[in-house]
């Protein structure tokens, strides 16, 4: 049986490396090294230090390469106003879900997801969202995730507003 462990601050560089693997898979090419890696590393080092933090990562180590991760998943708890279907307003969001090439189809990622879902359960989070890749969708469905009809939209703000607010 494969067991994932909760990531520590020492895993931060490997989590960033695996993020690059994930982005390569999504975009078909490796991302350019740059500020995104430094910013991600700073965020992880800050947020992985406190077990009560609203961010958790679960990982499986490569069995044949000490110090490297085979799989990981990161989740956060977002706090919104409650509603009839989610009175607490707490929503889990799963991201940075990836298994390194050569380690796929061994149950490593499932173990990571089960660890993260257990963490959400322990924290009382009853609603968890994610964006599924085509390859990941069957596993997510097996874990109980279902498609939603969310009309999600996004705005990218390129520079600070120059109009004073008053």
């Amino acid at each position: 049986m494969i067991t994932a462990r909760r990531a520590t601050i020492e895993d931060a560089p490997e989590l960033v490396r695996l993020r690059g693997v994930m982005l390569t898979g999504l975009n078909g090419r490796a991302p350019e090294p740059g500020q995104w890696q430094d910013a991600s590393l700073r965020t992880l080092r800050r947020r992985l230090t406190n077990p009560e933090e609203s961010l958790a990562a679960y990982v499986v180590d490569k069995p044949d390469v000490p110090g490297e991760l085979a799989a990981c998943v990161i989740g956060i708890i977002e706090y919104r106003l409650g509603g009839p279907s989610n009175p607490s307003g707490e929503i889990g969001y799963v991201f940075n879900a990836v298994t390194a090439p050569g380690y796929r189809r061994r149950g490593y990622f499932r173990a990571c997801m089960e660890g993260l879902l257990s963490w959400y359960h322990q924290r009382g989070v009853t609603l968890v969202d994610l964006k599924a890749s085509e390859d990941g969708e069957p596993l997510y469905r097996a874990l109980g995730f279902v498609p939603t009809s969310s009309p999600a939209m996004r705005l990218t703000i390129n520079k600070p507003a120059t109009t004073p607010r008053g």
Side-chain angles (χ1 to χ4, degrees), residues 17-154:
R17 180 187 66 80
L18 282 176
R19 183 161 181 76
V21 170
M22 181 196 68
L23 293 171
T24 299
L26 291 174
N27 301 323
R29 60 181 171 74
E32 292 291 326
Q35 292 181 352
W36 70 271
Q37 293 163 311
D38 296 333
S40 295
L41 195 56
R42 279 192 306 275
T43 297
L44 288 166
R45 285 183 172 149
R46 185 180 74 250
R47 297 195 69 187
L48 289 175
T49 58
N50 181 357
E52 297 305 313
E53 176 66 64
S54 61
L55 177 142
Y58 282 80
V59 299
V60 171
D61 297 289
K62 286 183 176 178
D64 54 344
V65 185
E68 288 190 21
L69 299 178
C72 71
V73 65
I74 301 176
I76 60 171
I77 300 172
E78 298 175 349
Y79 299 92
R80 303 176 184 173
L81 293 177
S85 65
N86 186 17
S88 74
E90 295 178 346
I91 298 173
Y93 188 75
V94 176
F95 63 99
N96 213 74
V98 62
T99 303
Y103 294 87
R104 295 178 178 153
R105 312 229 29 103
R106 298 183 189 185
Y108 295 163
F109 182 70
R110 176 185 281 273
C112 291
M113 277 298 297
E114 288 172 348
L116 183 63
L117 293 175
S118 176
W119 176 75
Y120 282 132
H121 180 74
Q122 292 167 7
R123 299 285 299 264
V125 175
T126 60
L127 184 65
V128 179
D129 289 335
L130 57 76
K131 292 181 183 172
S133 68
E134 193 173 305
D135 289 341
E137 190 173 326
L139 174 61
Y140 296 132
R141 284 182 184 271
L143 292 170
F145 286 85
V146 296
T148 67
S149 60
S150 171
M153 296 177 74
R154 174 174 288 158

